């Protein structure tokens, strides 16, 4: 059984924090969990959602339960994506904000899937070979690769809103909005086509971490009682953690290699 990585620890802690936020507020995670207001028992469902995130977050921090926790998170985030976000894309496919939201949640599916694939073993009751093979790990990476460009397109299309989030002390706000959008797209394309994939994943993670530190932490500090700021901070942090997990899945592959290590993928799948 493998050790708990730094990316996994951050992913677990942010999921735990998101769960606590839902439990304490009695509500879902704002626009990231767009559950209609008229749903019967909505507050109870929000608390149940929070409880799942809390238990899964704690489970990822315990070696004995991390495989089960990753399996639950894979199913839960996939359900979150398919039920809450994909219908918005189908209803309004020309609104890029819907695609960007799908991209954000799909990164969580990807990270959860990689954690499950690398932590589970054939003797587990919830072991499914098709989801843990080297092809499955590669598919999870590809899901991440097609997700981050959707976030990048959001930066480009809604450039005014993106530029407004750039810290005041930085010059050329619109330039940063375009740069980050293009960087998201470039990282996704590089991972998708295995062009320095480990380096691309690491740089994507670094960029998301910079957003978290320089955009959302000051937002929370400016209005610490506003739940939106805390939710945005945690979502940004968990997407950063997802990128970290994808980067860690390339451990053993050279930073400057444009070829995936098949032996390394096989070792990951056998853990």
């Amino acid at each position: 059984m493998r050790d708990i990585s730094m990316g996994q620890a951050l992913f677990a802690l942010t999921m735990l924090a998101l769960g606590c936020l839902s439990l304490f507020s009695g509500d879902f995670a704002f626009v990231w969990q767009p559950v209609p207001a008229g749903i019967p028992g909505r507050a109870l469902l929000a608390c149940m959602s929070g409880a799942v995130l809390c238990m899964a977050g704690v489970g990822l921090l315990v070696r004995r339960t991390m495989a089960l926790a990753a399996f639950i998170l894979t199913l839960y985030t996939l359900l979150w994506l398919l039920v809450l976000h994909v219908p918005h894309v189908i209803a309004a496919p020309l609104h890029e904000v819907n695609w960007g939201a799908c991209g954000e949640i799909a990164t969580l599916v990807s990270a959860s899937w990689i954690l499950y694939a690398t932590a589970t073993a054939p003797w587990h009751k919830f072991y499914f070979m098709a989801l843990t093979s080297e092809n499955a790990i590669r598919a999870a990476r590809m899901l991440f690769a097609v997700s981050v460009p959707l976030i990048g397109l959001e930066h480009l299309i809604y450039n005014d809103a993106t530029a407004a989030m750039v810290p005041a002390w930085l010059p050329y706000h619109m330039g940063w909005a375009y740069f980050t959008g293009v960087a998201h797209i470039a990282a996704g394309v590089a991972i998708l086509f295995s062009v320095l994939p480990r380096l691309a994943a690491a740089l994507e993670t670094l960029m998301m971490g910079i957003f978290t530190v320089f955009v959302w932490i000051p937002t929370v500090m400016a209005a610490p009682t506003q739940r939106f700021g805390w939710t945005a901070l945690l979502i940004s942090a968990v997407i950063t953690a997802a990128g970290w997990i994808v980067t860690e899945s390339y451990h053993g592959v050279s930073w400057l290699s444009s070829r995936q290590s098949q032996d390394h993928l096989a070792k990951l799948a056998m853990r």
Side-chain angles (χ1 to χ4, degrees):
M1 187 176 293
R2 65 172 178 78
D3 294 331
I4 297 171
S5 68
M6 292 296 294
Q8 179 177 332
L10 179 60
F11 194 73
L13 291 173
T14 47
M15 284 294 188
L16 174 59
L18 275 170
C20 289
L21 197 61
S22 288
L23 289 175
F24 291 142
S25 66
D27 200 358
F28 292 95
F30 278 112
V31 296
W32 288 275
Q33 285 182 307
V35 178
I39 292 292
R42 189 177 185 277
L44 177 60
L45 290 173
C47 289
M48 291 173 62
S49 172
V52 169
L53 292 175
C54 285
M55 290 187 291
V58 171
L60 285 178
L61 296 173
V62 180
R63 294 182 64 188
R64 186 174 180 179
T65 59
M66 64 182 181
L68 177 59
F71 179 67
I72 291 171
L73 271 180
T74 302
L75 295 179
Y76 181 73
T77 53
L78 181 61
L79 183 69
W80 184 349
L81 174 65
L82 296 179
V83 174
L84 298 181
H85 288 281
V86 170
H88 289 277
V89 171
I90 295 172
L94 298 182
H95 292 180
E96 207 288 325
V97 66
N98 295 330
W99 288 97
C102 275
E104 290 177 346
I105 305 307
T107 64
L108 310 187
V109 179
S110 171
S112 300
W113 187 359
I114 289 172
L115 291 179
Y116 165 69
T118 56
T120 193
W123 55 84
H124 289 142
K125 294 180 180 179
F126 46 88
Y127 175 81
F128 298 96
M129 183 179 295
L131 297 178
T132 60
S133 66
E134 61 181 75
N135 287 332
I137 296 171
R138 188 179 296 109
R141 290 171 175 170
M142 295 305 100
L143 177 60
F144 183 85
V146 299
S147 299
V148 290
L150 298 178
I151 302 173
L153 285 174
E154 199 170 21
H155 284 214
L156 298 177
I157 294 173
Y158 304 107
N159 49 64
D160 288 334
T162 304
M165 292 190 292
V166 176
W169 50 269
L170 278 175
Y172 311 115
H173 288 195
M174 189 60 71
W176 284 108
Y178 284 115
F179 172 77
T180 55
V182 171
H184 276 304
I185 295 170
V189 171
I191 296 170
L192 187 63
F193 293 101
S194 296
V195 180
L196 308 181
R198 186 182 183 189
L199 181 62
L203 291 175
E204 172 68 19
T205 303
L206 177 62
M207 183 169 66
M208 287 303 307
I210 291 172
F211 292 162
T212 304
V213 172
F214 289 106
V215 175
W216 295 117
I217 288 180
T219 299
V220 168
M221 292 177 65
T225 60
Q226 296 297 315
R227 186 163 61 93
F228 176 82
W230 282 103
T231 307
L233 170 63
L234 293 174
I235 289 290
S236 183
V238 80
I239 294 173
T240 302
W244 199 337
I245 288 168
V246 172
T247 304
E248 289 173 338
S249 77
Y250 285 104
H251 178 72
V253 177
S254 171
W255 288 101
L256 300 180
S257 173
S258 292
R259 297 177 59 188
Q260 294 184 5
S261 170
Q262 298 298 325
D263 290 341
H264 176 63
L265 280 171
K267 289 177 182 178
L268 283 174
M270 291 174 62
R271 287 181 179 179

